[in-house]
Amino acid sequence: MNLAVFVSGRGSNLQAILNSAELKDIIDVKVVVSSRQDCKAFEIAKQFSIPTMTLGEKEGHISYSSLSNFLSELKIDLVVLAGFLKLIPVDVIKNFKNRIINIHPALLPSFGGKGMYGMNVHQAVFDSSAKVSGPSVHFVDETFDTGKIIAQKCIDISDVKSPEEIAKRVLVEEHKILPYVIKKFAEGKIRIFNGRVEII
Ligand code: GRF
């Protein structure tokens, strides 16, 4: 299965995908795409000899309007947003319907939406005094964090003393759940039935 992984920063989820023993023989990461040229995740891609591409209107970048063609030419089966901060253009969403997934570091549909990224999410969870949090993997639609949820992992955070502690605990689970969902997708074990996403 051909993957394109979209990143904006650190790239620990990209690393988890590339290090996954279970995914090793079933996925081929064709390209790592970022909205920022200087992101750490590009260094990880380079270590694995994976081509990188920056999105934008400058020369040598892929423009947002040519993104859909670019992904089609690479025969991408699944687009994985792993810390990607920009909205995916509507034509890409249409052309890759139910083939774009995102990982969010909280239990959607709470604590999502515009501006809810990075530590903002964990700060909001901390301030709410919620007792549970955890990653959500969902299909991507036209707006931030609103697509149907594929998988979630609920973890106890009743004893945490800081948002950083929540982030740390959630990240451990992110690195497990994202490769898990990608594997299920590759195996054709994710389906939508009665409007709900099921993993079979
Ligand atoms: C993760 O917490 C992910 O859930 C969110 O952005 C962060 C990316 O981290 N969407 P990394 O770049 O994968 O380390």
Side-chain angles (χ1 to χ4, degrees), residues 9-14 82-84 102-105 118 122 171 174-175:
R10 180 177 54 181
S12 71
N13 279 287
L14 169 68
F84 185 68
N102 178 49
I103 180 143
H104 183 76
H122 303 297
L171 193 64
E174 289 187 44
H175 295 164

Side-chain angles (χ1 to χ4, degrees), residues 143-154:
T143 47
F144 284 115
D145 304 324
T146 52
K148 285 188 193 285
I149 296 163
I150 303 167
Q152 293 179 302
K153 173 78 182 187
C154 188

Side-chain angles (χ1 to χ4, degrees), residues 61-101:
H61 294 191
I62 348 160
S63 66
Y64 282 84
S65 57
S66 62
L67 183 57
S68 187
N69 274 344
F70 174 78
L71 296 171
S72 299
E73 272 165 25
L74 287 176
K75 301 198 179 348
I76 297 300
D77 300 300
L78 180 68
V79 175
V80 178
L81 309 187
F84 185 68
L85 296 177
K86 302 271 183 199
L87 265 187
I88 297 292
V90 178
D91 65 311
V92 181
I93 306 274
K94 274 199 195 125
N95 295 340
F96 287 81
K97 192 167 164 50
N98 294 335
R99 291 195 288 140
I100 310 176
I101 62 172

Side-chain angles (χ1 to χ4, degrees), residues 119-130 133 155-170:
M119 281 311 294
N120 296 352
V121 179
H122 303 297
Q123 185 71 54
V125 172
F126 184 81
D127 291 344
S128 76
S129 203
S133 191
I155 57 167
D156 185 355
I157 54 160
S158 56
D159 60 339
V160 294
K161 299 285 179 282
S162 67
E164 288 74 19
E165 218 178 319
I166 302 175
K168 213 169 146 191
R169 285 191 201 179
V170 172

